Amino acid sequence: RWRWAGLAAASALLLSSCSAMKLAYNRLDWVVSWEVGKYLDLEGPSKPLFDEGFASLWQWHRSTQITAYARELREIGEAQGAPTREQIAGYWQRASAHGERLFLEALPPSARVLQALDDEQVRGLLEKMSEDRREEAEEDLERSPEKTREQYARNSSRTLRRWLGSLSDAQRALVRDWAGTRRDDPALWQRYGEQWAAAFERTLASRASPGFEARLRDVFRDPQLPDSAAIRDLNGYNREHYID
């Protein structure tokens, strides 16, 4: 769920104004430190490892990935005629491939930082994650399916207006139809969140043992949890529906 959210946020950033993107990107060290600081008190050996790892990752991204994004965006912008569904699915796959490359590049320095955490830092991280899950569960209880669909429709319409200008009645109807037929299962996500958190906690408990980086990769990419198949089905349906 979080990786899809990250991909969507990155896509939105790329499609927003160039000045806003440049401002955020050139201050990414501060932004990331602030976000990580919500979950971890980086002190002791973990702090220099984080700073060094992020600086290296940022330099890699700036020197190799920005040009790739620009090349693909120019290619999309120069395409003639309305894109086919196959083309749009291809764009999605290419964006996902960018996210996968970033994940694999970020994995080794992330593993080194996590290995350097002491038990108190790990407890703080897990407690903050648990707090987030509780807040999310409370929000889900307060929000009816109808309100959720309305929120999806409002957010999508707002984004489309920013990119395209005013929407026609037919376009607004398409957005409402998309929001109304999108699948959501808060109870499933809550169960899966608990399962994933337990797997992550077990992985962190083994951070001093050989093979930690590989175990960390697996818990993010293919955790093999009781509800993993149901989550893949749900995400797959919504992905195809989004492309449609």
Side-chain angles (χ1 to χ4, degrees), residues 22-68:
K22 184 175 180 179
L23 179 68
Y25 191 84
N26 285 332
R27 289 162 176 75
L28 208 55
D29 53 347
W30 181 86
V31 172
V32 171
S33 294
W34 183 71
E35 288 292 338
V36 171
K38 295 178 182 178
Y39 293 86
L40 277 175
D41 290 325
L42 285 172
E43 42 189 42
S46 61
K47 182 64 167 68
L49 284 172
F50 173 83
D51 291 340
E52 177 186 346
F54 182 77
S56 177
L57 179 67
W58 199 13
Q59 178 57 31
W60 166 81
H61 193 270
R62 186 186 292 273
S63 61
T64 66
Q65 301 304 290
I66 295 297
T67 52

Side-chain angles (χ1 to χ4, degrees), residues 76 82-95 239-240 242-244:
I76 294 170
T84 65
R85 189 192 190 283
E86 290 71 24
Q87 286 174 312
I88 293 172
Y91 297 151
W92 179 283
Q93 291 170 356
R94 288 157 71 176
R239 178 175 61 251
E240 295 304 308
Y242 184 80
I243 292 171
D244 289 338

Side-chain angles (χ1 to χ4, degrees), residues 186-199:
L188 171 63
W189 277 117
Q190 289 169 25
R191 287 199 313 271
Y192 184 77
E194 295 295 336
Q195 294 164 14
W196 191 91

